[in-house]
Amino acid sequence: MEEKSKGKALQEELAFTQPHIADERPELTEAAARFCEAYKTFLDAAKTEREAVEAALCLLNEAGYRPLRQEGEAYRAGDKIYYNNRGKALLCATLGRQPLDAGVRLMVAHIDSPRLDLKPNPLYEDSDLALLKTHYYGGIRKYQWGATPLSLHGVVYRKDGTRADIRIGEEPGDPVFCVTDLLPHLGAEQNKRTLADGLRGEELNLVVGSLPYAEKELKDRVKLRVLELLHEKYGITERDFTRAEIEAVPAVKAVDVGLDHSMIGAYGHDDRVCGYTALRAEMEMRDPEYTTVCVLADKEEVGSSGATGLVSDFVFHFLGHLADAQGANYKRMLQNAKCLSADVNAAFDPTFPDVSEKRNASYLNRGVVLTKYTGARGKNGTNDASAEMMSFVTGIFDAAGVLWQTGELGKVDFGGGGTVAQFVANRDIDVVDVGVPVLSMHSPFELVSKLDVYMIYQAFTAFAGAK
Ligand code: MN
Ligand code: MN
C-alpha cells in the first residue's frame, strides 16, 4: 500500500470535507426508505395544522400518552402526556429520571404551511362560473398556485354551533378546485408584470362550479347550485363561511422523486418533515434521563402570533404545569433547558446558484442542517446560537453518528427569514435551529431527500435521549 504523504495526512487531520450520507452511512438507505413510507402517509393525512394534530393524536394514543390534567396530578419518570392546544397545536412529553429543574429537552417544529385561505365571504358568481375568494397564508410565490389542482380542508360552524369538517379533493373520485391562469396566446400584457405580480392576490380565485340551478328566472343560479350541494353534504349556508377556517392546499399526494427514488416531492414538508420526525423520536423515548418535550406549533408561517403560535404562552403554561405538579423550580427548569428549534432550510439549488453562498449553504443528502442564526440585514431578528450550544449539540450528534452540516438562508443581504428559535430563546433557554434542506420551499411541491429525513429523526432521538 502506498504511504500517505505528510501533507495528505495533515489535510485529513485538519481540513473538513462534507460527506454524502450515502458514502458515509450506506447501511441507512433501506431504513430511510422504510421510514419515509410512514412519513409520506402522514403527509397525505396531515395537510393542515388541524389534520396534523389529528394524525399526531392517533399516534400518541397508540403510544400510550394521556392528556395533561391541569390540577396538579403527580407524574412519574417514564409517564407520557400530551396537551392539545385548540386542535391546532400539540405538546407531548415523556417524564425523565432527573427532576425537572435539571432541565428539559425541547424539540419545537411547526405544522402550518403556506396555502390559500378562504375569505369570510368567499362565494360569488361571475359569467356563469362559481368562484371562491381567497387570502393567501404565509409566504407564497403566487404565480406557482395557478393551474394546479387544489383540495379544500377545514371546519365550518353552523348557526346552531354544530361543526362540519370539510375535506374535498383527497379521495379517489373527489373533485378538485383550481385557480385559473391565462393562455400564452393572451398573456402578452400579463407577461410584462414582474414575477411577484404574475398572479395577484385578488386573482387567486378558486373555480368551484359551472352548472346553474334549474329555475331560469333566478339570479346567480350557478352559485345557488353550489350552495345547494354544500348544504346537502354539510348542512351549511352561505353565512356559515364567516364561522369557518377553510384552506385550499395542493391536492397532490406525497410521491417519490428521481429514478433512484431518493427524494420525496410533496406539499408541506415545511415543516411537517421536522414535526413528524420529532414526534416519532419523542414517542419512542423510554425512560429518558431528562424530560423530553415535543412541540408542534401553528402560525409559524405568519410570524407565530396568536394563541396557537410560539409567541403565545401555551408552551410555557404547559412547562409551568409540569413544574407545579413536581414542585420543581420553574425558572431553573427553563435556564437548564436545551431546545432544538426544528425547521427546514433552503438547500443549494444548482439551477439558481447565485442566491446561495456555496461554502455555507446546505445541500441535499448531507444531513441535518444546523443553522446558527437566521434573520436579515446583519442578523436582525434572530436567535444566534452560542458557541457553547453549538458545541453541546454537535457533541451529541457526533457521538450518535448523526451527519450534520451547517446552513444559512441565502447570501448575506439577499433575503433572510426567521424561525421560532428567538421566541424560545427569549425565555432564557439555549436554542439552535436544526432542520432538513428543502428545494422549492413554500411551493405546492417541495422536495427533500429521504436520507436527510432519516438523519434528522436520528438527530432528535440522540438529542432527546442524551444523558
Ligand atoms: Mn418552516
Ligand atoms: Mn416556511
Side-chain angles (χ1 to χ4, degrees):
M1 210 168 96
E2 221 174 289
E3 215 168 285
K4 273 181 207 163
S5 76
K6 199 177 159 201
K8 186 153 171 48
L10 196 64
Q11 205 163 42
E12 281 179 14
E13 192 188 336
L14 300 183
F16 178 73
T17 319
Q18 189 77 50
H20 194 293
I21 301 175
D23 291 332
E24 201 72 7
R25 305 283 307 274
E27 77 282 6
L28 293 186
T29 312
E30 229 181 271
R34 227 175 308 122
F35 182 88
C36 284
E37 287 309 304
Y39 171 50
K40 281 155 57 183
T41 304
F42 180 83
L43 280 176
D44 291 343
K47 289 200 170 179
T48 66
E49 62 281 358
R50 285 176 188 271
E51 290 179 357
V53 166
E54 287 295 319
L57 281 175
C58 282
L59 297 173
L60 290 180
N61 285 326
E62 279 169 33
Y65 283 73
R66 58 203 168 90
L68 172 85
R69 299 204 201 300
Q70 309 212 343
E71 48 284 334
E73 187 182 17
Y75 298 109
R76 284 197 309 270
D79 281 356
K80 289 180 170 288
I81 50 177
Y82 72 86
Y83 178 73
N84 176 353
N85 182 7
R86 297 166 169 86
K88 298 172 69 159
L90 192 65
L91 283 151
C92 48
T94 306
L95 273 290
R97 287 194 296 264
Q98 295 278 347
L100 285 162
D101 2 39
V104 295
R105 295 286 156 82
L106 275 163
M107 301 180 285
V108 186
H110 69 91
I111 47 175
D112 61 317
S113 299
R115 65 199 183 226
L116 308 180
D117 287 348
L118 296 198
K119 292 192 185 191
N121 290 309
L123 182 61
Y124 66 104
E125 173 173 341
D126 194 341
S127 314
D128 296 338
L129 283 180
L131 299 122
L132 293 169
K133 296 296 294 180
T134 68
H135 193 141
Y136 64 98
Y137 171 98
I140 63 165
R141 309 193 74 191
K142 296 190 262 307
Y143 72 89
Q144 294 177 338
W145 291 69
T148 189
L150 301 171
S151 55
L152 285 176
H153 300 241
V155 297
V156 185
Y157 283 88
R158 305 176 190 96
K159 195 173 184 181
D160 63 5
T162 55
R163 167 176 158 164
D165 287 277
I166 294 198
R167 189 175 160 100
I168 318 170
E170 296 292 342
E171 300 307 318
D174 270 7
V176 295
F177 313 92
C178 66
V179 170
T180 56
D181 199 354
L182 277 177
L183 60 168
H185 319 65
L186 296 177
E189 280 305 311
Q190 190 193 24
N191 286 346
K192 293 176 191 162
R193 297 180 184 181
T194 61
L195 193 57
D197 217 21
L199 281 177
R200 295 180 177 139
E202 293 295 351
E203 292 169 345
L204 298 174
N205 305 318
L206 285 181
V207 174
V208 293
S210 67
L211 288 179
Y213 190 82
E215 285 175 41
K216 284 184 189 157
E217 56 288 345
L218 292 174
K219 270 170 64 178
D220 287 345
R221 294 190 295 140
V222 180
K223 174 181 166 181
L224 183 61
R225 178 75 183 122
V226 166
L227 281 172
E228 182 187 39
L229 290 167
L230 285 171
H231 190 259
E232 278 169 8
K233 188 153 184 202
Y234 300 107
I236 58 173
T237 70
E238 184 173 17
R239 193 65 170 150
D240 294 334
F241 279 119
T242 59
R243 290 178 280 261
E245 287 176 342
I246 304 177
E247 306 166 5
V249 302
V252 63
K253 300 273 193 268
V255 62
D256 285 357
V257 173
L259 288 169
D260 52 11
H261 292 257
S262 61
M263 295 163 281
I264 305 169
Y267 163 68
H269 283 309
D270 177 8
D271 184 35
R272 289 164 205 142
V273 68
C274 298
Y276 178 74
T277 48
L279 181 72
R280 282 282 303 264
E282 156 59 34
M283 280 169 34
E284 287 158 20
M285 279 300 124
R286 298 272 171 271
D287 222 12
E289 185 75 5
Y290 297 96
T291 295
T292 57
V293 180
C294 171
V295 182
L296 303 181
D298 182 27
K299 298 285 178 234
E300 195 279 339
E301 296 295 357
V302 291
S304 294
S305 291
T308 50
L310 245 285
V311 172
S312 132
D313 282 331
F314 80 94
V315 173
F316 304 96
H317 288 161
F318 177 84
L319 295 177
H321 286 306
L322 289 188
D324 288 347
Q326 200 180 76
N329 182 316
Y330 176 66
K331 285 179 185 164
R332 208 173 308 137
M333 170 184 178
L334 296 189
Q335 285 161 346
N336 289 331
K338 298 273 188 265
C339 175
L340 294 184
S341 161
D343 208 342
V344 297
N345 201 326
F348 180 84
D349 186 337
T351 304
F352 302 101
D354 294 345
V355 299
S356 303
E357 191 263 287
K358 273 194 152 177
R359 280 166 206 80
N360 285 283
S362 61
Y363 294 79
L364 245 53
N365 287 312
R366 294 192 192 178
V368 176
V369 190
L370 272 158
T371 307
K372 190 174 179 300
Y373 49 83
T374 58
R377 303 172 313 282
K379 298 190 177 180
N380 262 279
T382 183
N383 164 66
D384 194 343
S386 67
E388 289 79 5
M389 184 59 180
M390 291 295 281
S391 168
F392 174 80
V393 171
T394 57
I396 290 173
F397 289 177
D398 285 341
V402 171
L403 295 184
W404 54 274
Q405 55 183 326
T406 56
E408 266 192 325
L409 200 61
K411 275 181 180 168
V412 177
D413 289 341
F414 256 58
T419 65
V420 300
Q422 53 182 318
F423 308 121
V424 179
N426 292 347
R427 299 304 183 101
D428 197 11
I429 296 176
D430 280 315
V431 190
V432 65
D433 276 301
V434 302
V436 171
V438 176
L439 289 168
S440 301
M441 194 197 294
H442 283 206
S443 80
F445 193 71
E446 301 177 318
L447 216 54
V448 299
S449 116
K450 291 182 180 178
L451 286 171
D452 290 330
V453 175
Y454 195 65
M455 202 47 84
I456 199 163
Y457 160 61
Q458 301 226 310
F460 289 134
T461 303
F463 172 81
K467 297 251 158 84

